Amino acid sequence: MVENNELELSEAEAEQYDRQIRLWGLESQKRLRASKVLIIGLSGLGAEIAKNIILSGVKSVCLLDDEKLKETDLYSQFLAPPDKIGENRAESSIQRARALNPMVDITSETKAVDELPDAFFTTFDIVCATGLKQEQLERINNICRDSNKKFLCGDVWGMFGYMFADLIDHEYSEEIVQHKAVKRGPDETEKNARETVSITVKRRAIYVPLQNALSADWTKPELRSRLRRGDPSYFAMKILLRFRDEFNRNPDPAKRKADTEILLRMRDELVKELNIPVGFISDALLTDVFGIVSGAAAVVGGVIGQEVVKAVSQREPPHNNMFFFNPVKCVGFVELYGQ
Amino acid sequence: MVARVAGVFDEKLTEAIANSKILVVGAGGIGCEILKNLVLTGFPQIEIIDLDTIDVSNLNRQFLFHKEHVGKSKAQVAKDSALSFNPTVNIIAHHDSVISNDYGVSYFKQFNIVMNALDNRVARNHVNRMCLAANVPLIETGTAGYAGQVELIKKGLTQCYECQPKAPQKSFPGCTIRNTPSEPIHCIVWAKHLFNQLFGEEDPDQDVSPDTADPEAAGDAGASALSSEGTAAGNIERKSTRAWASDTNYDPEKLFSKLFGDDIRYLLSMENLWKKRRPPTPLTWDNLPGKDNAPTQHSGLPDQRVWTVHECAQVFAASCKALQTDLKSRPDGDHLVWDKDEKSAMDFVTACANIRAHIFNIQLKSRFEIKSMAGNIIPAIATANAIVAGLAVIRAQALLKGEIETCTSVYLRPKVNHRGQLFVPEKTLTAPNPKCYVCAPKPEVGLACNIKQLTLKDLNTAFKEGLNMQAPDATVEGKGLVVLSSEPGETDHNNEKTLEEIGLNDGCALLVDDFLQNYEVRVRLQQEDDEKSWRLVTDTDTPMPAPKEDKTANGSNGAKEPKPGPSRSKEDSDSDMEIIDEDDDGEPAPKPPKRRRTEISDEVVELC
Ligand SMILES: [Zn+2]
């Protein structure tokens, strides 16, 4: 839980954050300013998430990545300059990350997540992981859970993307605007001005860990009914996570044809395994899943950034635990899995 | 050069991107994000236009700009920052208004796609027409707070930006502002009018003194009150407020006594007004509430503390003096322009609005809140801009692939809909409105006015403000008689003549043309004896919004840049929102969807 920092905002902060304070209020801004964020994976998606969170005015952001900057990263990764190819992605992103907002403390960590002790992850208020294997995601999620730290993860493959959130037991406040008629004159019959009053209500949302969401039981009637009018994005995500686990890499733009064949084969296996109607997961959804397309990274990074802001400021209802961007229909939607 | 890495896109799209040329209009919150996405994706030829300079309040979302760039050209800095992401692309930056003869139809024709990232309706209307004239697809974007939208506009295929009449602008009757305010906004509008009366451009429609023509006060007229100041007709002597203030050397105490004492007593004398309302309480300078209050504990931003009436009076006095000094330092005849970001101007409006609110028993507001209302500030955040810009570039990619029919409008919702959707695409493209007075094959519109009273000068204003033309030319249909010419001097001598005097009558049709927009519309005159000004009448719908726009109500930085154009900071956001009410059942929607515009409104004062 992020403690509310009682220290007042400086004049410089008030000026720079004016347009967002007018949206989410001063209390949220103070909570943001007290929160420490870890971003794992400085791909194009990681860069988008980092940009949004740094601009919002958190206390600190740690960029964690052990990978080297590749040419394909430059398609969507705008924090690392093109002349840093071959250098560590987190380190080469630091300078531009700092320039986005000098009031935020930016650090980097170049060890692989598997080399880092559990205690490392719990020094942050919230962790956002991208580009990891399912096993790694589940480990970090569980570490965060045990220390009551919030966890989000997500990926973009080509044009397609998803987000998962485990906010554990999340308390938040929501402002509800009500209209009430006010009498202004001595004559009670006078029709008069309506005043808007906003009241703040406290609410709670309970989340499940990632393994529950990824092992959703599709034999259950409530999930089967989703197949009728639903969207196949959940399965596309499963296939792409499996691809990464199996081949230790993402689908490669240079092997577009061969990898597409692998993906379609994996799709057919999943269809059998979960007894999904044939044709439900269209080829089109698995066609544009190569590299990271900048527009899609912006879209998914925007959603993840906004969920991080909501989570640490404890204001406004967070989404249910999974978000998907389906580029075929250009639809972005939220679903609940694992409960 | 080709899109940067082969294999990310299929060959067709890679090729199409490599041969594309894109125009981005506006380098604000959405413009910065669009430019980043285009450059990273490898769009090789990009031009970007914005006439604005960078302000510190942009930095929370316009991420191509940093503190050291404050005051510099948005277009230029955006270009420089974006080039550092991908130095191989070619970007041309224009620090300029898009509404200019330099950007005519042939300029627009060189682009495959135009992407709008604007913050005001005037420029959006203009680019809409330029893209229709050049037959170039336009991707129109906007955000307000958490919400946003992306919409494709293509001549003959989709609605244009002006196909649906815009929501009428919120307006307050003049008598509510001058006589019977009941909400904080009424006092704020009054205070902005007072600013203009004292220091700004004097506008007779922005009178701040009691309005004796108030129909509610009929038969009452307040003739008994303050007869020493009254004329035989019971009206206060119409000496200009400015002249009077100047005579007193802007003495704050005297100004205060007139505005918040005498004028209020005069209003009280109009007894009919107060039969069903709580009457106002006049104030005296020496005895103001809050004078002896001990300083209270306040948490929050200093601007969020609500001042006492006594403090308001102190601020009123100080800001009056500061504004007077500013006015005096300018050449004769010059005036100030209200700007929410000018300290004294904002202090003055806060103080006056609150003093008046206290008099009328209306809740006082903080300077922070009054700034939002007086400056029409729309909150803006990085994430919504990023999402909308991402969707816009994804739509641009589909257009280049030749999949225009898939490019339906997409709405970013502040909260998911009942189907769990956060980004909601429409099912089909929305067909153009055949009666649209902009994109119909033969555009036509009615102009209701009193032909006996409307002057040619007013007619010119109607074409500029109502039809959003930049330089209208008008001839009488069938006769070729030139009524208005955009050439300076050609028809100016007729400016003060009425339409009747130059031989126009009811039912007569004018062909009105804007050369730059390559836009011609047939305007039918409709005689209406009661119409005090003019209004547009379209075939299909209710009358268009009244034209009497409050020029100061938009909080624009008009002083710096009178030309309309991208990022005029009219609202300082990328707003002009249109949120669709999605259909509930997933059935195909054959009829055009209902739209609800959630645009911020400039308040308008109607004459009673
Ligand atoms: Zn139209």
Side-chain angles (χ1 to χ4, degrees):
Chain A
M1 203 102 340
V2 178
E3 292 308 316
N4 184 1
N5 186 341
E6 282 309 318
L7 205 67
E8 294 302 334
L9 257 61
S10 69
E11 204 174 313
E13 286 171 303
E15 262 191 324
Q16 181 167 327
Y17 302 133
D18 182 88
R19 293 303 182 272
Q20 62 199 45
I21 292 172
R22 288 177 194 276
L23 186 65
W24 55 52
L26 186 61
E27 283 311 300
S28 297
Q29 195 60 49
K30 286 182 178 176
R31 283 207 163 95
L32 278 165
R33 189 179 54 172
S35 55
K36 292 172 283 186
V37 184
L38 172 66
I39 295 169
I40 303 173
L42 267 293
S43 64
L45 177 61
E48 287 284 348
I49 297 170
K51 172 202 69 189
N52 294 333
I53 291 174
I54 292 166
L55 289 174
S56 79
V58 295
K59 179 183 173 68
S60 67
V61 170
C62 176
L63 308 174
L64 187 166
D65 203 333
D66 67 327
E67 280 188 44
K68 304 272 186 283
L69 187 70
K70 300 179 296 294
E71 205 197 339
T72 46
D73 289 325
L74 299 178
Y75 235 114
S76 52
Q77 218 286 20
F78 52 90
L79 290 179
D83 59 6
K84 301 259 181 175
I85 286 179
E87 296 180 33
N88 178 277
R89 283 202 300 197
E91 279 183 333
S92 47
S93 299
I94 273 204
Q95 198 186 351
R96 286 189 182 168
R98 284 187 181 138
L100 288 175
N101 186 353
M103 296 192 268
V104 179
D105 182 25
I106 316 277
T107 56
S108 66
E109 173 56 65
T110 61
K111 287 200 188 75
V113 290
D114 298 337
E115 291 167 33
L116 287 161
D118 293 3
F120 170 81
F121 299 97
T122 59
T123 57
F124 304 94
D125 299 300
I126 189 161
V127 176
C128 279
T130 64
L132 297 183
K133 294 181 173 185
Q134 189 172 333
E135 191 188 331
Q136 295 170 317
L137 291 171
E138 287 176 1
R139 173 190 166 224
I140 298 167
N141 182 193
N142 290 331
I143 295 167
C144 289
R145 245 185 181 254
D146 291 344
S147 306
N148 200 26
K149 306 287 189 185
K150 299 182 190 306
F151 171 85
L152 288 92
C153 64
D155 274 300
V156 169
W157 291 277
M159 305 270 284
F160 171 82
Y162 86 97
M163 178 204 77
F164 164 83
D166 179 6
L167 307 184
I168 317 171
D169 182 350
H170 183 63
E171 280 182 24
Y172 62 94
S173 62
E174 184 174 8
E175 206 166 283
I176 296 174
V177 178
Q178 294 178 329
H179 298 272
K180 75 170 187 199
V182 279
K183 301 269 188 288
R184 221 179 283 282
D187 184 345
E188 293 292 302
T189 60
E190 167 88 341
K191 65 139 184 119
N192 225 321
R194 278 151 67 83
E195 219 167 56
T196 56
V197 257
S198 59
I199 54 163
T200 305
V201 291
K202 295 260 179 226
R203 295 211 159 112
R204 266 175 89 185
I206 310 291
Y207 284 76
V208 297
L210 181 66
Q211 60 256 39
N212 297 27
L214 291 185
S215 58
D217 181 358
W218 285 88
T219 60
K220 281 190 177 169
E222 60 266 32
L223 282 194
R224 300 257 13 130
S225 73
R226 274 186 204 172
L227 294 178
R228 275 201 299 282
R229 52 184 198 92
D231 181 292
S233 294
Y234 177 88
F235 304 105
M237 170 202 69
K238 291 275 284 188
I239 294 161
L240 288 156
L241 281 173
R242 280 186 183 184
F243 185 103
R244 181 186 286 163
D245 286 351
E246 193 166 318
F247 298 95
N248 205 22
R249 63 173 175 89
N250 290 313
D252 185 349
K255 301 174 186 163
R256 190 176 169 103
K257 196 156 175 278
D259 281 357
T260 303
E261 279 170 26
I262 297 174
L263 286 164
L264 295 181
R265 182 174 44 80
M266 293 176 82
R267 186 263 319 263
D268 296 341
E269 284 165 13
L270 191 74
V271 163
K272 265 193 207 142
E273 184 186 319
L274 298 178
N275 192 21
I276 305 161
V278 175
F280 186 68
I281 313 165
S282 67
D283 290 7
L285 195 55
L286 293 168
T287 305
D288 283 316
V289 293
F290 296 92
I292 292 183
V293 174
S294 172
V299 161
V300 177
V303 173
I304 295 179
Q306 194 53 48
E307 288 309 290
V308 169
V309 167
K310 277 195 255 171
V312 300
S313 63
Q314 293 180 269
R315 190 181 146 118
E316 299 298 326
H319 293 317
N320 273 330
N321 65 353
M322 301 211 78
F323 164 85
F324 298 97
F325 177 61
N326 178 336
V328 178
K329 294 189 261 178
C330 210
V331 67
F333 64 98
V334 173
E335 277 178 340
L336 179 62
Y337 281 98
Q339 255 166 345
Chain B
M1 100 146 240
V2 290
R4 300 171 83 186
V5 183
V8 170
F9 298 122
D10 62 26
E11 280 167 25
K12 188 179 177 190
L13 180 55
T14 306
E15 179 74 18
I17 289 174
N19 294 313
S20 68
K21 195 169 179 186
I22 311 281
L23 173 63
V24 181
V25 189
I30 299 176
C32 281
E33 286 281 338
I34 287 180
L35 188 62
K36 169 208 62 185
N37 297 341
L38 291 175
V39 162
L40 292 170
T41 308
F43 284 78
Q45 303 269 351
I46 305 165
E47 297 201 17
I48 186 157
I49 306 183
D50 198 315
L51 61 74
D52 215 355
T53 53
I54 296 157
D55 183 79
V56 66
S57 67
N58 302 145
L59 302 180
N60 77 321
R61 62 197 185 281
Q62 300 177 15
F63 79 105
L64 299 177
F65 314 141
H66 306 139
K67 198 143 219 169
E68 66 268 26
H69 299 133
V70 168
K72 293 186 175 163
S73 154
K74 284 189 173 179
Q76 189 58 45
V77 176
K79 170 191 163 173
D80 295 343
S81 294
L83 277 179
S84 73
F85 304 158
N86 181 359
T88 66
V89 302
N90 180 6
I91 306 176
I92 299 174
H94 305 275
H95 178 58
D96 207 348
S97 167
V98 73
I99 304 176
S100 145
N101 290 322
D102 296 342
Y103 311 107
V105 174
S106 59
Y107 174 81
F108 277 80
K109 273 190 173 154
Q110 62 181 309
F111 300 100
N112 300 87
I113 300 172
V114 175
M115 304 184 76
N116 260 358
L118 287 163
D119 64 357
N120 68 87
R121 197 183 271 178
V122 172
R124 280 183 162 105
N125 286 341
H126 181 79
V127 177
N128 177 49
R129 292 169 190 202
M130 299 309 291
C131 290
L132 290 169
N135 198 15
V136 172
L138 168 64
I139 295 177
E140 166 61 50
T141 67
T143 60
Y146 299 112
Q149 66 174 61
V150 176
E151 181 180 16
L152 168 71
I153 293 168
K154 178 68 171 59
K155 185 180 180 181
L157 185 67
T158 73
Q159 282 196 347
C160 83
Y161 184 71
E162 299 171 84
C163 267
Q164 300 294 332
K166 300 288 190 285
Q169 293 174 309
K170 197 176 178 186
S171 67
F172 304 108
C175 43
T176 303
I177 302 300
R178 291 168 64 184
N179 293 359
T180 52
S182 60
E183 290 176 35
I185 186 68
H186 300 153
C187 301
I188 294 168
V189 170
W190 180 86
K192 282 173 74 178
H193 290 179
L194 176 63
F195 176 93
N196 279 348
Q197 294 293 319
L198 293 178
F199 311 105
E201 191 176 10
E202 286 178 278
D203 180 342
D205 293 338
Q206 296 188 353
D207 204 332
V208 290
S209 61
D211 179 10
T212 53
D214 190 333
E216 268 200 79
D220 175 354
S224 60
L226 305 179
S227 52
S228 58
E229 277 190 46
T231 63
N235 213 343
I236 292 187
E237 197 80 58
R238 292 292 169 146
K239 183 178 195 176
S240 105
T241 310
R242 169 85 125 264
W244 180 82
S246 188
D247 289 349
T248 68
N249 193 29
Y250 287 88
D251 181 325
E253 207 177 316
K254 286 192 179 131
L255 284 174
F256 187 98
S257 299
K258 172 181 172 357
L259 296 165
F260 304 115
D262 299 345
D263 282 357
I264 304 302
R265 276 186 286 277
Y266 190 90
L267 281 176
L268 280 172
S269 76
M270 295 157 73
E271 287 162 9
N272 281 351
L273 292 180
W274 314 112
K275 287 192 173 148
K276 289 181 176 178
R277 284 190 185 87
R278 180 154 165 177
T281 316
L283 289 174
T284 49
W285 178 257
D286 302 322
N287 185 23
L288 292 172
K291 192 175 180 182
D292 304 317
N293 288 12
T296 49
Q297 275 293 320
H298 168 73
S299 67
L301 299 174
D303 263 10
Q304 289 177 318
R305 186 175 64 84
V306 180
W307 302 335
T308 65
V309 177
H310 179 254
E311 279 176 297
C312 287
Q314 305 298 305
V315 173
F316 169 77
S319 57
C320 266
K321 280 291 155 197
L323 293 167
Q324 184 200 7
T325 308
D326 189 356
L327 186 61
K328 266 189 179 167
S329 72
R330 291 170 189 243
D332 254 3
D334 201 1
H335 58 82
L336 308 186
V337 174
W338 191 80
D339 179 350
K340 66 183 186 306
D341 295 317
E342 294 287 335
K343 185 183 179 295
S344 299
M346 192 58 231
D347 280 348
F348 178 86
V349 164
T350 305
C352 293
N354 274 336
I355 295 167
R356 189 164 170 91
H358 176 82
I359 288 168
F360 285 90
N361 195 37
I362 297 167
Q363 192 188 20
L364 272 58
K365 295 277 181 188
S366 70
R367 190 180 188 275
F368 185 84
E369 289 173 291
I370 291 176
K371 188 171 175 178
S372 268
M373 292 191 266
N376 274 335
I377 298 175
I378 298 177
I381 51 173
T383 51
N385 287 335
I387 293 167
V388 162
L391 293 171
V393 174
I394 287 170
R395 283 300 192 222
Q397 290 171 191
L399 271 182
L400 289 177
K401 269 178 102 169
E403 297 171 353
I404 194 166
E405 71 290 348
T406 67
C407 295
T408 58
S409 301
V410 188
Y411 300 88
L412 164 65
R413 297 176 51 99
K415 286 177 184 158
V416 297
N417 67 10
H418 65 290
R419 295 165 69 190
Q421 292 173 331
L422 188 63
F423 319 155
V424 186
E426 274 183 34
K427 292 189 178 64
T428 55
L429 296 176
T430 311
N433 170 7
K435 299 272 173 77
C436 175
Y437 68 84
V438 176
C439 73
K442 288 199 156 71
E444 225 182 270
V445 70
L447 186 76
C449 60
N450 187 344
I451 291 165
K452 299 183 191 84
Q453 284 175 6
L454 199 78
T455 64
L456 273 184
K457 195 177 170 195
D458 298 331
L459 188 69
N460 194 36
T461 308
F463 294 155
K464 284 185 172 174
E465 292 181 5
L467 294 175
N468 200 47
M469 289 181 161
Q470 300 306 319
D473 289 285
T475 55
V476 181
E477 189 184 45
K479 294 184 188 163
L481 171 71
V482 178
V483 174
L484 278 173
S485 167
S486 57
E487 286 296 320
E490 273 194 10
T491 50
D492 291 352
H493 56 280
N494 281 336
N495 267 349
E496 301 309 324
K497 291 193 182 152
T498 65
L499 301 191
E500 189 176 50
E501 281 166 350
I502 60 156
L504 301 180
N505 46 42
D506 188 20
C508 153
L510 301 173
L511 294 176
V512 190
D513 174 81
D514 186 291
F515 179 75
L516 173 59
Q517 296 174 342
N518 197 9
Y519 168 52
E520 186 183 75
V521 58
R522 187 169 175 269
V523 178
R524 281 168 287 105
L525 297 180
Q526 298 176 12
Q527 172 60 24
E528 280 191 19
D529 294 345
D530 296 340
E531 182 56 55
K532 291 203 173 86
S533 179
W534 51 267
R535 64 171 212 284
L536 296 179
V537 186
T538 52
D539 259 356
T540 44
D541 52 51
T542 48
M544 299 289 286
K548 282 273 169 204
E549 187 171 340
D550 178 352
K551 289 182 196 67
T552 61
N554 56 27
S556 80
N557 302 334
K560 290 177 217 148
E561 183 47 77
K563 277 191 293 184
S567 299
R568 193 175 43 150
S569 295
K570 188 169 184 175
E571 293 133 5
D572 193 35
S573 85
D574 308 286
S575 165
D576 197 25
M577 283 296 305
E578 177 178 39
I579 299 290
I580 187 165
D581 294 323
E582 79 283 352
D583 55 316
D584 275 356
D585 46 19
E587 300 269 305
K591 58 181 191 315
K594 284 179 195 154
R595 280 149 197 268
R596 175 163 57 92
R597 300 232 174 215
T598 58
E599 176 193 26
I600 190 82
S601 312
D602 295 345
E603 80 270 26
V604 174
V605 175
E606 290 167 354
L607 300 171
C608 285

